């Protein structure tokens, strides 16, 4: 079945720096790759997603890139702010029913 | 428009006790899911439903049962709780045409 690996597990950056989180997946049939942000004590919320027919997608300070050949996708956050501090999860569709399989998460800390 | 609502928010059980978690959504979504979240493990799918009266197993279904008697409700049951089921449980829903998940606020369950 699908396996999603996410790195790093923790990431600390200075305010204003960029942050990059990387995920790899195993199922070549995966075609949808969302990223969720979970603030402490809150529910996960979708922040950006990309489909397999697109290589890159941007939304203000966040962007996602997809390399289908290498089976990896990345989240890029530029000009980080303290409110970006959270746990970020990547996911990919997989399995016989195409359900989302999540990575184990990256705890991002942005220091003022 | 409340979105996805879970009850209760917190629960403490003794080993062997049973309980039911309720999830309700008012977005007329066809698909509903139950995930558990454990530290360092990400979000793992327990059971899901693609429509009223249908349920299916996810990644970690053992020890849980579900029912979807009405389109807007998805119930998760623990017949005989075990300490290994101590976790945060999230319900989510999505529409037939879109994989985007909308999560509830979660239930913190402790089994002593």
């Amino acid at each position: 079945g699908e396996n999603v690996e996410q790195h790093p597990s923790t990431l600390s950056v200075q305010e204003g720096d960029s942050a990059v989180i990387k995920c790899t997946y195993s199922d070549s049939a995966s075609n949808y790759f969302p990223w969720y942000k979970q603030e402490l004590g809150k529910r996960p919320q979708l922040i950006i997603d990309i489909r397999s027919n697109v290589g890159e997608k941007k939304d203000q300070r966040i962007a996602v890139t997809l390399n289908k050949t290498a089976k990896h996708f990345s989240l890029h956050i530029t000009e980080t702010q303290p409110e970006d501090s959270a746990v970020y999860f990547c996911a990919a569709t997989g399995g016989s029913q195409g359900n989302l399989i999540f990575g184990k998460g990256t705890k991002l800390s942005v220091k003022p | 428009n409340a979105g996805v609502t879970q009850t209760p928010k917190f629960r403490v059980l003794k080993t062997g006790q049973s309980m039911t978690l309720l999830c309700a959504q008012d977005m007329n979504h066809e698909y509903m899911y139950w995930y558990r979240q454990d530290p360092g493990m990400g979000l793992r799918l327990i059971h899901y439903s693609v429509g009223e009266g249908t349920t299916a197993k996810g990644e970690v279904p053992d020890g849980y049962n579900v029912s979807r008697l009405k389109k807007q409700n998805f119930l998760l049951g623990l017949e005989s709780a075990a300490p290994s089921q101590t976790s945060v449980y999230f319900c989510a829903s999505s529409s037939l045409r879109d994989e985007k998940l909308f999560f509830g606020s979660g239930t913190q369950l402790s089994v002593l």
Side-chain angles (χ1 to χ4, degrees):
Chain A
E2 174 72 286
N3 184 44
V4 178
E5 300 279 346
Q6 182 172 348
H7 300 279
S9 57
T10 60
L11 179 60
S12 181
V13 300
Q14 288 295 131
E15 183 177 359
D17 288 350
S18 295
V20 180
I21 304 170
K22 298 180 180 180
C23 288
T24 60
Y25 61 98
S26 59
D27 188 348
S28 57
S30 294
N31 58 11
Y32 176 65
F33 308 92
W35 287 88
Y36 285 81
K37 175 183 180 182
Q38 186 179 28
E39 296 176 357
L40 188 62
K42 300 290 182 63
R43 73 191 75 190
Q45 292 191 300
L46 180 72
I47 55 171
I48 194 167
D49 57 8
I50 192 168
R51 298 190 183 276
S52 58
N53 58 347
V54 176
E56 183 176 2
K57 184 177 179 180
K58 289 183 179 180
D59 183 2
Q60 298 183 350
R61 295 186 297 107
I62 61 173
V64 57
T65 58
L66 172 65
N67 183 326
K68 285 214 72 180
T69 303
K71 294 187 202 170
H72 67 71
F73 56 111
S74 301
L75 178 70
H76 305 255
I77 306 174
T78 59
E79 300 173 21
T80 53
Q81 300 168 3
E83 52 264 39
D84 294 328
S85 296
V87 178
Y88 292 81
F89 294 97
C90 65
T93 50
S96 59
Q97 299 299 318
N99 291 311
L100 282 177
I101 305 299
F102 284 83
K104 294 184 178 181
T106 296
K107 183 177 181 180
L108 173 65
S109 299
V110 180
K111 300 183 184 304
Chain B
N1 193 340
V4 180
T5 303
Q6 287 181 237
T7 53
K9 295 188 182 303
F10 303 94
R11 187 71 187 269
V12 179
L13 291 178
K14 294 181 180 178
T15 297
Q17 287 186 319
S18 63
M19 75 162 293
T20 300
L21 304 183
L22 172 63
C23 177
Q25 53 94 5
D26 61 3
M27 296 176 284
N28 201 34
H29 283 170
E30 291 78 10
Y31 298 163
M32 296 187 75
Y33 312 83
W34 277 106
Y35 287 90
R36 62 176 289 172
Q37 183 176 30
D38 302 292
M41 296 297 293
L43 292 153
R44 293 182 292 171
L45 183 63
I46 305 171
H47 285 283
Y48 64 99
S49 169
V50 299
E52 183 178 323
T54 70
T55 63
K57 295 180 180 179
E59 302 170 74
V60 288
D62 294 344
Y64 305 94
N65 57 75
V66 288
S67 64
R68 191 154 178 214
L69 300 179
K70 294 182 179 180
K71 185 178 182 179
Q72 63 268 34
N73 295 337
F74 195 29
L75 278 63
L76 177 71
L78 285 72
E79 290 187 348
S80 180
S84 60
Q85 294 178 304
T86 293
S87 187
V88 178
Y89 292 85
F90 284 99
C91 176
S93 69
S94 65
S95 71
L96 185 63
R97 294 171 297 279
D98 196 337
E99 296 99 328
K100 296 177 184 177
L101 296 180
F102 292 83
F103 284 89
S105 58
T107 297
Q108 174 71 62
L109 174 66
S110 296
V111 183
L112 307 178

